[in-house]
Amino acid sequence: MGPAARLAALLALLALRAGDRAGAAARGDTFSALTSVARALAPERRLLGLLRRYLRGEEARLRDLTRFYDKVLSLHEDSATPVSNPLLAFTLIKRLQSDWRNVVHSLEASENIRALKDGYEKEEQDLPAFEDLEGAARALMRLQDVYMLNVKGLARGVFQRVTGSAVTDLYSPRRLFSLTADDCFQVGKVAYDMGDYYHAIPWLEEAVSLFRGSYGEWKTEDEGSLEDALDHLAFAYFQAGNVSCALSLSREFLLYSPDNKRMARNVLKYEKLLAESPNQVVAEAVIQRPNVPHLQTRDTYEGLCQTLGSQPTHYQIPSLYCSYETNSSPFLLLQPVRKEVIHLEPYVVLYHDFVSDSEAQKIRGLAEPWLQRSVVASGEKQLPVEYRISKSAWLKDTVDPMLVTLDHRIAALTGLDVQPPYAEYLQVVNYGIGGHYEPHFDHATLSSVEAGGATAFIYANFSVPVVKNAALFWWNLHRSGEGDSDTLHAGCPVLVGDKWVANKWIHEYGQEFRRPCSSSPED
C-alpha cells in the first residue's frame, strides 16, 4: 500500500533480547529473523547429544583397539619368544587369519557412525538450508559496506571501521568470537559465485592467510582448503583485472597440487597475457563496489547509519523540545506520555516508554509463532527481497486484551481512529542477521540493539538512534493528501543485537474530521 493511502505511521519499539523458546527452526529464511536463528540452537543441542554418544562409543572402541595393539606389540618386543612354541604359533596364525580381520572389519565403527548419521538425518529437516548460509554471508557483506568494517577485524571478532589510517571501534563484544579460515572462505565463495569480486577478494584473502597459518592441520568440519581458497582468489583477481596477482596465486596453488592440469593451463595463460602487456605486472586491481540500482541514495543512507548525522541538539533549535503529552485526552491525564520533538519538517516525534517491558514481551510472544519472511509489493505479487531482511506477523486486537489497550493509547495520542478499516492491524517485525530495510516511504523501524539499527531519514538528512520501548511518529501525508517526500527513510542494518518492532499504520480514509484539510496549500 502506497503512501497516499496512509495518513500516519506510528511505531512502537520493542527492546527484546534473543528468546529461549524451544522449537524447530523453519527450513529456509532462518537468517531473516534473529528469533529463527535463536531457534536453530535447539537442533544443534540435540546434534551435540548425538555426537557425545558417538564419541563415547568410539572412545570405548579405541580403548579396545589400544588393548589389542599393546598385546600384539608386547609379543613382538619380546625377542626371546620362541615361535616353536605351538601355543604361540597357533595364536600367531589365529591373529593373522582371524583377529586382524575382525579388527579391520569390525562392525562397531560403522554402527557408531550409522547411529550418528541416522540422528543427523532426523534433525536435518529442522536445520538451516543452504539459502540461509548465503543470506547470512550476504548480511556480513552488508554490514561490511554500510559500517565500513574491516574484514581482518571481523575475522578476529572485532567490529572496526577503517577510513584511511583511522581505526574506530564500533562495538566491543564481551567475548571475542573469531572466524576460521573455512568461515572466511564460505563468505568469499558466496560473493564469488555471485560474480561479486569486490567482496570476494578481501574475504578470500583472509581465508588464504588463515589456511596458510594452519596448513597441514586437517579439520573434519572444513569444506574448503588452502588450495580451494587459492583457486577462487586467483580467478577473482583475474576477473578483476589483476593478472599479476592471479599468476602468483596460481603458482602457489601448484606448489601444493602440482598435477592440477587446469591450474597449469591458467599459469601459461596468465604468463602469456603479461608477456603481451608487461605494464600489467605492477597493475593493481581497482574494483568497484557493485552498484545497487534501486538505491540511488546509498551514500546518504549509509552516512546517516554510520554517524547518526545532521540532527541538531535541542539547545541549538529551541523549537525542538521535550514535554509531557496528554493531547487533551482523559486516557492520558493520569499517565502522560514523554514526548521528544526530533524534527520539524517532516514532523517527527519520539514518545519514550510508550510500551512497558511486559507489553513488549507479550507482543513478541504473540507474534513469534506467526512470523514469516517480510515481503514487498511487486506488481500484484508480494515477494521477499534482498533490501528487506526481516520476518513479520500481523496481530488482530482480538488476540489479546492488551492489544486493545495499546490501540486506545495510540488513538488518544494521535486523535485518530485506529480501528479497521481506518487503520491496519499491528505488524510485528523481527530483523535477521544484518537485518535492514533500505530507503522507502511507508514505514520505519527502531528497537533496542547493541549497535546499528537506527532509522535514517534520507532527504531530511537526519537519523534517529535506537530507543528501547519508545514509539516514533510522523505524518506520511500532507493535509492535502499528497505524499511527503521528506519522509523517505530506511532501517539501518543491525550490527549487533536482536531488533523487534511493531508498526501501526493509520489510513487517510475516515480521518477527515479528525485531521481536516488546511486552508494553506503548503500543508
Side-chain angles (χ1 to χ4, degrees), residues 115-287:
L116 180 63
K117 288 181 177 178
D118 287 345
Y120 175 82
E121 288 170 2
K122 290 178 181 177
E123 297 291 340
E124 197 167 13
Q125 63 179 356
D126 294 331
L127 303 181
F130 179 71
E131 290 77 9
D132 291 306
L133 177 61
E134 289 184 318
R138 288 195 298 269
L140 290 182
M141 297 176 218
R142 185 182 313 120
L143 295 174
Q144 172 191 347
D145 288 341
V146 173
Y147 296 108
M148 301 176 67
L149 298 177
N150 178 265
V151 171
K152 284 189 174 293
L154 283 175
R156 299 195 313 272
V158 177
F159 296 81
Q160 293 179 326
R161 178 186 302 144
V162 178
T163 50
S165 59
V167 178
T168 305
D169 288 329
L170 297 183
Y171 170 72
S172 299
R174 290 182 291 274
R175 176 188 174 193
L176 286 181
F177 184 84
S178 58
L179 300 179
T180 66
D182 192 61
D183 293 335
C184 295
F185 172 72
Q186 292 297 335
V187 177
K189 188 174 182 300
V190 167
Y192 176 96
D193 290 341
M194 296 189 300
D196 176 6
Y197 304 113
Y198 174 87
H199 290 105
I201 286 175
W203 285 101
L204 291 173
E205 280 184 334
E206 190 61 22
V208 165
S209 176
L210 292 172
F211 273 129
R212 283 172 180 154
S214 61
Y215 190 74
E217 299 176 12
W218 180 70
K219 294 181 179 177
T220 305
E221 67 270 22
D222 283 358
E223 182 174 325
S225 64
L226 176 57
E227 291 90 329
D228 291 326
L230 287 169
D231 189 2
H232 285 77
L233 182 58
F235 190 73
Y237 265 121
F238 171 69
Q239 289 293 94
N242 194 329
V243 181
S244 180
C245 276
L247 175 59
S248 176
L249 292 162
S250 300
R251 285 172 172 167
E252 182 180 353
F253 176 97
L254 289 176
L255 294 177
Y256 302 104
S257 184
D259 297 328
N260 190 296
K261 295 180 180 180
R262 176 180 58 82
M263 190 60 75
R265 289 194 298 270
N266 285 350
V267 167
L268 294 176
K269 173 183 176 180
Y270 299 151
E271 288 175 339
K272 181 180 179 181
L273 288 172
L274 290 174
E276 294 172 351
S277 305
N279 62 320
Q280 289 200 42
V281 173
V282 294
E284 291 186 4
V286 180
I287 312 168

Side-chain angles (χ1 to χ4, degrees), residues 239-446:
Q239 289 293 94
N242 194 329
V243 181
S244 180
C245 276
L247 175 59
S248 176
L249 292 162
S250 300
R251 285 172 172 167
E252 182 180 353
F253 176 97
L254 289 176
L255 294 177
Y256 302 104
S257 184
D259 297 328
N260 190 296
K261 295 180 180 180
R262 176 180 58 82
M263 190 60 75
R265 289 194 298 270
N266 285 350
V267 167
L268 294 176
K269 173 183 176 180
Y270 299 151
E271 288 175 339
K272 181 180 179 181
L273 288 172
L274 290 174
E276 294 172 351
S277 305
N279 62 320
Q280 289 200 42
V281 173
V282 294
E284 291 186 4
V286 180
I287 312 168
Q288 297 295 323
R289 176 179 165 189
N291 187 34
V292 186
H294 62 271
L295 181 52
Q296 306 300 325
T297 54
R298 185 181 70 185
D299 291 343
T300 303
Y301 157 61
E302 294 181 353
L304 291 170
C305 290
Q306 293 166 17
T307 63
L308 295 177
S310 299
Q311 174 58 33
T313 55
H314 291 109
Y315 70 86
Q316 292 173 315
I317 300 182
S319 54
L320 300 180
Y321 62 92
C322 295
S323 65
Y324 285 98
E325 180 67 47
T326 66
N327 198 29
S328 302
S329 169
F331 192 86
L332 299 175
L333 284 178
L334 294 179
Q335 191 175 2
V337 178
R338 293 191 295 143
K339 171 183 176 180
E340 179 183 357
V341 179
I342 299 293
H343 205 266
L344 296 179
E345 293 182 5
Y347 183 71
V348 178
V349 179
L350 189 68
Y351 295 106
H352 293 265
D353 297 318
F354 188 77
V355 294
S356 65
D357 287 341
S358 61
E359 288 174 326
Q361 292 287 352
K362 169 71 81 171
I363 293 172
R364 169 180 166 161
L366 293 171
E368 195 166 0
W370 304 101
L371 289 174
Q372 294 184 344
R373 177 71 185 269
S374 298
V375 295
V376 299
S378 178
E380 296 182 356
K381 297 181 180 180
Q382 299 282 322
L383 300 174
V385 289
E386 180 66 17
Y387 59 85
R388 187 184 187 187
I389 302 298
S390 62
K391 286 186 177 180
S392 55
W394 296 89
L395 296 180
K396 294 184 178 182
D397 56 7
T398 54
V399 171
D400 191 275
M402 185 272 295
L403 298 178
V404 177
T405 302
L406 183 61
D407 273 350
H408 288 162
R409 192 179 307 152
I410 296 171
L413 194 62
T414 62
L416 301 172
D417 189 338
V418 300
Q419 295 301 309
Y422 307 116
E424 299 181 19
Y425 295 116
L426 193 70
Q427 184 196 44
V428 183
V429 184
N430 181 220
Y431 281 75
I433 304 171
H436 71 142
Y437 195 175
E438 288 178 357
H440 57 285
F441 282 106
D442 53 357
H443 85 280
T445 56
L446 271 180

Side-chain angles (χ1 to χ4, degrees), residues 76-96:
H76 282 263
E77 289 177 340
D78 188 355
S79 58
T81 301
V83 179
S84 57
N85 184 322
L87 297 178
L88 290 173
F90 170 78
T91 57
L92 172 61
I93 293 171
K94 176 181 176 292
R95 284 199 309 274
L96 294 176

